[in-house]
Structure formats: C-alpha cells, structure tokens
Amino acid sequence: MENKEIELEFSIKSGAPEKQRTACVVVGVFENRKLSGPAIDIDRASDGYLSEILRGGDMEGKAGSTLLLHKVPNILADRILMVGLGKERDFHETAYRDAIACAVKTLRDTGSMEAAITLSEIPIKKRDVTWNIEQAVITTYDALYRFDRLKSKSSEARRPLKRVIFAVSRRGELKYGEIGLARGLAISHGINIAKDLGNTPSNICTPEYLANEAQKVAKAHGFGCEILDYAACDKLGMGSFLSVGKGSDKPPRFIVLKHEGGTKGHKPVVLVGKAVTFDAGGISLKPPAEMDEMNYDMSGGGSVIGAFHAIGELKLPLNVIGLIPACENMPSANANKPGDIVTSMSGKTIEILNTDAEGRLILCDALTYAERFEPDAVIDLATLTGACVIALGAHPSALFSNHDPLAREIEHAADHAWDRVWRMPLWDDYQDQLKSSLADMANIGGRPAGSITAACFLWRFAKKYHWAHLDIAGTAWKGGRAKGSTGRPVSLLVHFLLNRTIK
Ligand code: BES
Ligand code: MN
Ligand code: ZN
C-alpha cells in the first residue's frame, strides 16, 4: 500500500522554442498583453500569430489564465500553451511559482505527456538560473503530488505528464540549470516523503510506523538509525516525553538518525522533530471541530525524515543527527492529568496544567538528549501552537533562536528556499508566565503570546548550545477542503545544510 511516487523525467535545454519538437511548448504572457522573450520568438516564427490572439482579446495575461493553441504556423510543437503571468513588475518568487504550477496542472489536465516550459527563462530579481530551475522542479512536483494510496481507485490522469523540459536562455547556463535540477529533485523527493507521512492517517502512521519509515530511509542511504522504546527512554530518564504517550495504546518511539558524512569529530547539526502521531489533547481534550487535522501533529518529525532523504541523495559532506520523539496524545485512565508533575531528563520538574501542551513535553527531553552530541547547532521543528497560526497565518514559519548568527543563517536559507520564516522575540521577560508554585515550571504560560511562551519553555532546555526553534503550526499543512501536508520546511532545512557545505 505504498503511495505511488509520480514518475517525472526532467531535462534542461537552451535553444529556439519554435524548433522544439514536443507535445507542447509553454510560454508566458504578462498583463497588458506583453509577451515574454520565448513568446516573442514563437510570435516571430509564426508571423504574429500570438500577437493577433492578444489583439483579439482571448488572452490578457492575467495571473492564472491559460490558453491552449493548436496548429500554430511554422512551429514544430503540436501545441502552444499560453500562461498569464500577471503584471510584469509584480513577477516575483511567488508569482513565478504560481505560474509554473498553473502551467503544469493545465498540461496534466489537457493530456500533454511531454512539454517544454519556457517560463523558467524569465528573470527574477536577485535570483539566478540555478534558483529558477530548482524552484521550477519543486513546484512541478508539488503541483502534481497526489496521495491516493487509500482510495480504491487511483486518481492518475489517463495521459499523465511524464517528461518536462525546462528552458534556459543561453547554452552557457545549462550547467547551472543542471545544479538546480539535482537539488530540486533531492528536495522534492524529501518533500514527498514528508507529505506522505503527514497525509497517512494516525491509525496507520503510529510511532512504530514512523520508526520503520525512518529505518527505510536510513537503509537506503547508509545512515545510522537507533530506535529507543519505552524501556530505553525510561532508563534515560525521559519522564516528560514518556508521560505524554501514557494515555495511548500505541507505544512511543524515540528515533535517532545519524548521517556521518562530514569530517570525523566535526560537531554535528542536530534536527529535532515533534512527532505526535495524533494530538487529541489528552484529558484536556480538544473540541471536535477540525480535530482531524491533529493527524498532522507529527509533521516536524516527518520533515526530519524527508530532509534526511534529501541529505542522502545529495551526499552532503556534513555530520547531521535527527531526533524524533514520537508518541500519541490521547485521553485515558492512564493519561497525564492537569496538575500532574513530571520529571524531565534534565532533572527539571514540570507541572502539567494543560495536557494539550504536549509538544514541549516531548521536545524538552529530546533537547536534553541532544547535548550528548556536543552539537554545533540544534534546530527543532514543531507544530507547537495554535497561537502561531493566529500570529502569522500560513506563509512564514515562526523562528526563535538564542543565537543571532544561527537565526540569520536560517533566515538566509529560508529566503533562498522560498520556504520563509519570520523571527519572533525570545526574551526573558516572558519567562515569568511559566512560573509554577509546585514545580520548576508550568507547561503553559496563559493566553498572551502563546507561541513565545512555548518557545521560552523549550529555551530552558537548550542552554548548552546554539539553538533555533521553528513553529510550523501554520505552514506544515493546509486545512479545509484542500487538506494536505505541505512538506515544509524540508526545503529550508536542506538549504541550511547545503549552505554549510559551500562555506
Ligand atoms: N499541536 C497543537 C498545536 C496546534 C494547534 C497546531 C492548532 C496547529 C493548529 C499543540 O499540541 C497544542 O495543542 N497546543 C495548545 C497549547 C495550549 C494548550 C497552551 C494550543 O495551541 O492550543
Ligand atoms: Mn496539543
Ligand atoms: Zn500537539
């Protein structure tokens, strides 16, 4: 019952679009009927065929609009697909990605099995050919992704898009395009793994299932992989982590992935991913509306596994450790109760005032466990707070860090990956909100600044190294009818690591 990965073949080409012998050539048109460079070439070769269509008013260049043309004179391709790009001065990163996605979906829906897409030639401020191609590949995978392993009939198109050619404008750019292609493929495969894990429902995707999937990725790339069960975690003193899974019949797992690709003895980067395979809230039960979405509460862990796949595919010469505390947060007679006090691996005690603030309870022990690797940096990823969704919505992940250079490194990678973050304050002023009269701290800080107090809680366990926390509650999945995992922030993580290999 594996989800069938879409099979796509990519190539990079330079050369005249009118001479491409393929099922479809895709060209862009800006608003006010302004043709992009390759569209001008097609227009010239066809004695003004495209201009005439624009004059006739069939295509105005509005973003998201398309027009499919058959039998364009003097053109070797069977069809030309015109894609509206919106206003030229607004053609930035998001518009570029939207245009590629629109083109690819239209190709799929119109049965073109092969196409040459020239949108990748359109220059974008501050971006280079490598960026354009990498983003085109990632966007194509994203647009064509489907998760139908649990449908009785596959939703594969009758004539699916199989071969995609992305154009670059000069021969000299081909080699930069190839670099973008390799990165784009590795990242897309990693994103697809994260999406599949996120979309797999919690009756299938249990902590044990996640551990098996991590092991599969480890085997494929020669990573070390250790799976700690309840007894092993108990021995380590992970009283906080283990308390969360107590209410569930599904046993917890603490997953450790190890990529030793760098110089021996070099301090590793540690990636920590929250993996609550279902978050019912525990005894502090969540309301029923949208509770199904708590299936995605393992997305941090899924992204670590996805990022590891990409690290392996790119053979990054770095030492990287992945830590994934995985469990289920359910109400039961054995579950944590409000007022319970647990002892974390660090020795610090925590009063659990709300059993639904469980993410920090599992992450704090993972952050303590991370100390043994003497890390150069630790980054945790967690669908941690609903407050984060209220503050930032679905576009950036929230970034918190105790080390400005690390925060800047992540901001830079996020911008490059177009997997954006927004830095939030991590100030001691908020720590007061976590005071407890009976234990060292409470696990909630009241309504004001909910994402920040959650980060402040984690910060108390991350004093021994440089650390950043990404709250991905708003970015890891889309809700509503188009429900589904986004695979974020795999791309950001891979770029963060890639940048460390280039220095
Ligand atoms: N997994 C949730 C956070 C979440 C909620 C993500 C909604 C996306 C959408 C987390 O475990 C949680 O329940 N957090 C609580 C914390 C509160 C009890 C302090 C929340 O945000 O409501
Ligand atoms: Mn919760
Ligand atoms: Zn949760």
Side-chain angles (χ1 to χ4, degrees), residues 248-262:
S248 168
D249 288 341
K250 318 248 163 48
R253 291 287 183 267
F254 190 96
I255 304 165
V256 184
L257 281 164
K258 286 185 190 162
H259 169 54
E260 284 160 355

Side-chain angles (χ1 to χ4, degrees), residues 353 360 387 430 433-434 442-454:
L353 290 177
R360 59 199 84 180
Y430 293 95
Q433 287 176 239
L434 294 170
N443 79 327
I444 52 169
R447 274 172 58 80
S451 307
I452 302 174
T453 53

